Amino acid sequence: MNKIIGSTGMKLAYAYLNSNPEKNIPKLMDWVDRLAINNVMEGQRKAVRKIIEDKDSNWYKLILSMWTDVDPGIRKTFFDNFILKTFIGWPIQEKNREKYGCNIPWTILMDPTSACNLRCTGCWAAEYGNKMSMSYETLDNVIQQGKELGVYFFIYSGGEPLVRKTDIIRLCEKHGDCQFLAFTNGTLIDEKFADEMLRVRNFIPAISIEGFEDATDFRRGRGTYHAVIRAMEVLKRKKLLFGASLCYTRYNTEAIGSEEFFDFLIDKGVKFAWFFTYMPVGADAATDLMVTAEQREFMYRQIRHFRQTKPLFTMDFWNDGEYVQGCIAGGRRYLHINANGDIEPCAFIHYSDSNIHEKTLLKALQSPLFTQYHRNQPFNDNHLRPCPLLDNPGRLTAMVEASGAASTDFVKPEDVRRLSDKCVDTAEKWAVTAERLWGESHNCAGCAQCGDKAQKAVG
C-alpha cells in the first residue's frame, strides 16, 4: 500500500487536486480517508474535513492561497514530502514504537553548526561561537537513520543554520523524498539562495522576528529587522513557502500577540508561525525575559482567537500541549541533536547521555534519559502544563539525575537543580492560571478527547 501511495497514487492524487482545487479538495479527502491504514490520524483528518466544508473560513482561504501565492513546484513537493509522507511515515513510527518499546519521533531537529552571525540577547548560541559543527556526512547519516524509522521531516536550528547553506542544499538534493525546514534569523537569505530553494523545492525557512523594528533590533542588533524584511520580500516575490519563528518575552508579548502584527505577517507572505516562550537556558541566561502568567494567558487567548479569523497556520510550542497530549520532546514527537552531536530530549533541555558519534538514533531513544521521558510523559494531566522544566518543578531534575545525564552546555555546564530553580516561581504562578483555563475548556465530564483525565483536571 505504501508503495502504491508513494508512486502512481500520489501523482494521480496531486494531479487531480491541482486541476481544480476548489472542486476536488473534498473529493481528495474521501480518498485519503479510504487509504488511512488502521484509521491513522482520524482526529486530524476530521479537522481538515471541517475546514474544507466552510468555504468562507480563514483556513479554507489559507489552503487556496497555496495555489495563488506558492510556486507550483514548491507546492507539489510540499504535498509529496510533507502531507502524504506524514501519512506514510506515521504507521512506520507507530510500528517501531511498539517493536522497540521506546519513543520514535515524527521529526528530528539538528544543529549543523554552533556558529551565528548575530549575538541575540538571551540566546545560548551567542556564547558558543563557531567551535562546534556536524559534518555533512554526519548530517546525512542522521537523515538516513531517521528515514529507516519512518521520519521524513527534518528541521535545522543552531547557531545560524544557513552558515552551512551549501551543505543544507546538498542534503536537500540527496534526500529529495524528505521535507526540510530551518529556524533562521533570515539575514543570510538572498536572491541566490532563494533560487537554490526554488531548484531543490524541499526547503522551507522559518524566519525569527521579535515583533516590529524596535523589539527585533533590541534582541538581535540594529539593522536586523530590515534584513529580515528584505528576506521576506525576496521569498514572497519568488513564490517560495516560508514561515516565522516568534519568541515572546516579557518585553514583546503584547506586540507579537497583536492583530496588527498577525496582519503584518500575512501581508509579508508568511504562511505559518511557530510561537515559543522565552526559556532561561544557560548559566548566565537573563531571567527577566521570562513572561508572566498573564502574558502567557494573553498569547493562549490571542492565538486561539486568530485561528478562527486569520489565514495563518499557528503553533504555540507550550500552550498547544492540549492538542498533542502534553510534552512532545524526548523523541515522543521530536528530539534535538546539537552541533557537538549530543542527542538531547529538547532544544531547551541541554542534558544528554548519548552522542550521535557514539550511538545510533535508536540506541539513544532507548537510553536511560529518553526512557525516563517515555515512562513519565505526560508530565501533568493538565496538558496546558506540558513541560518538565517550565511547568512542573522537579520533574526534569528527577529524570536527569535518575538517568545520569550530563549538561551539554559547551561554555558553562549548568546544574539541573539550578536551572530548575530559575523556573519555580514562574511555574507556580502559571499553574493557577493553567488550572482555570483547563477547567474552562474541559468542563465536559470526560470528553472524547481527554476521557477521565478531563474529570480529574476540573475536580
Side-chain angles (χ1 to χ4, degrees):
M1 181 65 71
N2 283 343
K3 289 180 180 179
I4 293 172
I5 296 172
S7 54
T8 307
M10 185 178 292
K11 294 175 183 178
L12 289 174
Y14 183 79
Y16 179 68
L17 175 64
N18 199 45
S19 64
N20 190 333
E22 285 196 68
K23 178 182 176 181
N24 293 334
I25 285 175
K27 294 180 180 179
L28 182 64
M29 277 307 301
D30 293 336
W31 178 81
V32 171
D33 286 341
R34 288 196 299 271
L35 288 177
I37 302 169
N38 297 324
N39 209 23
V40 65
M41 302 183 77
E42 179 183 13
Q44 290 88 336
R45 287 184 286 110
K46 285 182 177 179
V48 172
R49 186 169 291 283
K50 182 179 178 180
I51 289 167
I52 63 179
E53 288 173 353
D54 181 3
K55 295 190 176 182
D56 292 324
S57 75
N58 58 306
W59 289 101
Y60 192 73
K61 292 175 182 176
L62 176 61
I63 291 172
L64 290 186
S65 76
M66 292 289 288
W67 272 264
T68 58
D69 301 348
V70 178
D71 174 83
I74 298 292
R75 182 176 63 244
K76 184 179 185 304
T77 299
F78 180 76
F79 179 87
D80 290 349
N81 290 6
F82 185 78
I83 296 176
L84 286 181
K85 278 292 171 57
T86 294
F87 283 95
I88 292 171
W90 194 272
I92 300 172
Q93 296 161 23
E94 287 292 319
K95 181 179 178 180
N96 285 324
R97 289 179 189 116
E98 182 177 353
K99 178 179 179 180
Y100 297 113
C102 63
N103 285 332
I104 299 294
W106 168 67
T107 185
I108 294 172
L109 172 67
M110 49 188 173
D111 301 347
T113 179
S114 62
C116 185
N117 59 323
L118 300 180
R119 291 182 62 86
C120 302
T121 302
C123 177
W124 59 81
E127 305 299 325
Y128 289 179
N130 60 356
K131 296 180 175 63
M132 296 186 295
S133 65
M134 285 193 285
S135 68
Y136 169 85
E137 290 74 20
T138 298
L139 295 167
D140 176 50
N141 184 254
V142 170
I143 296 167
Q144 294 280 16
Q145 290 186 55
K147 288 161 69 171
E148 290 173 7
L149 295 173
V151 180
Y152 292 93
F153 182 34
F154 297 89
I155 305 175
Y156 298 112
S157 59
E160 168 48 51
L162 294 191
V163 169
R164 298 281 301 281
K165 60 172 69 173
T166 300
D167 283 336
I168 285 175
I169 292 296
R170 285 179 64 198
L171 291 165
C172 288
E173 289 176 319
K174 181 171 182 179
H175 300 281
D177 56 343
C178 293
Q179 186 66 57
F180 296 92
L181 180 145
F183 292 118
T184 170
N185 62 43
T187 61
L188 300 180
I189 294 174
D190 53 19
E191 295 276 347
K192 181 179 178 182
F193 184 69
D195 287 338
E196 286 291 87
M197 289 173 58
L198 272 174
R199 182 174 66 82
V200 297
R201 299 179 176 178
N202 58 342
F203 177 81
I204 300 172
I207 301 175
S208 297
I209 186 169
E210 307 295 323
F212 296 108
E213 184 173 2
D214 288 347
T216 298
D217 287 359
F218 170 76
R219 277 200 74 192
R220 297 180 174 272
R222 186 178 298 276
T224 303
Y225 175 81
H226 288 295
V228 166
I229 299 305
R230 284 195 298 271
M232 289 182 172
E233 289 172 349
V234 169
L235 296 171
K236 182 180 180 180
R237 174 164 41 83
K238 292 180 180 289
K239 291 195 167 187
L240 285 158
L241 184 60
F242 68 99
S245 174
L246 309 163
C247 178
Y248 54 98
T249 74
R250 188 165 300 193
Y251 303 113
N252 71 348
T253 294
E254 288 71 23
I256 277 186
S258 68
E259 183 169 19
E260 180 186 10
F261 188 67
F262 271 67
D263 288 341
F264 161 81
L265 293 175
I266 294 165
D267 179 66
K268 292 301 178 187
V270 171
K271 296 300 180 187
F272 65 91
W274 297 73
F275 290 83
F276 303 89
T277 188
Y278 174 77
M279 294 282 282
V281 177
D284 298 326
T287 56
D288 66 312
L289 291 174
M290 297 176 71
V291 298
T292 65
E294 292 78 13
Q295 289 175 316
R296 186 165 167 182
E297 179 180 358
F298 171 76
M299 292 302 298
Y300 169 92
R301 295 191 183 280
Q302 290 294 93
I303 290 172
R304 279 161 177 74
H305 170 65
F306 291 137
R307 279 177 181 155
Q308 306 305 315
T309 60
K310 305 294 182 183
L312 180 70
F313 186 83
T314 54
M315 298 153 283
D316 188 325
F317 196 72
W318 274 267
N319 287 343
D320 282 345
E322 64 179 306
Y323 302 124
V324 289
Q325 289 76 56
C327 173
I328 64 170
R332 181 168 171 264
R333 294 293 177 259
Y334 100 107
L335 56 79
H336 177 239
I337 307 175
N338 70 18
N340 192 49
D342 300 311
I343 306 171
E344 302 167 336
C346 175
F348 302 98
I349 303 298
H350 294 183
Y351 299 90
S352 178
D353 60 1
S354 305
N355 189 286
I356 197 63
H357 301 297
E358 301 166 355
K359 289 184 182 180
T360 64
L361 276 175
L362 181 58
K363 288 296 183 182
L365 288 161
Q366 295 173 323
S367 72
L369 180 58
F370 279 79
T371 297
Q372 285 289 317
Y373 267 76
H374 180 61
R375 291 175 178 172
N376 284 280
Q377 288 166 321
F379 299 108
N380 200 304
D381 286 342
N382 180 338
H383 298 320
L384 294 178
R385 298 172 59 192
C387 182
L389 173 60
L390 188 62
D391 301 324
N392 297 281
R395 298 304 297 271
L396 177 66
T397 300
M399 292 191 296
V400 168
E401 292 182 346
S403 65
S407 172
T408 58
D409 191 291
F410 182 73
V411 178
K412 293 182 180 178
E414 186 170 23
D415 179 79
V416 68
R417 289 179 177 265
R418 184 177 181 276
L419 171 62
S420 296
D421 285 346
K422 292 189 288 188
C423 300
V424 169
D425 182 64
T426 298
E428 290 177 346
K429 291 176 179 175
W430 173 246
V432 177
T433 303
E435 290 306 310
R436 171 169 50 79
L437 294 175
W438 189 255
E440 289 178 8
S441 59
H442 292 79
N443 191 12
C444 54
C447 65
Q449 176 184 350
C450 307
D452 293 338
K453 289 183 179 180
Q455 298 182 36
K456 185 185 296 184
V458 298

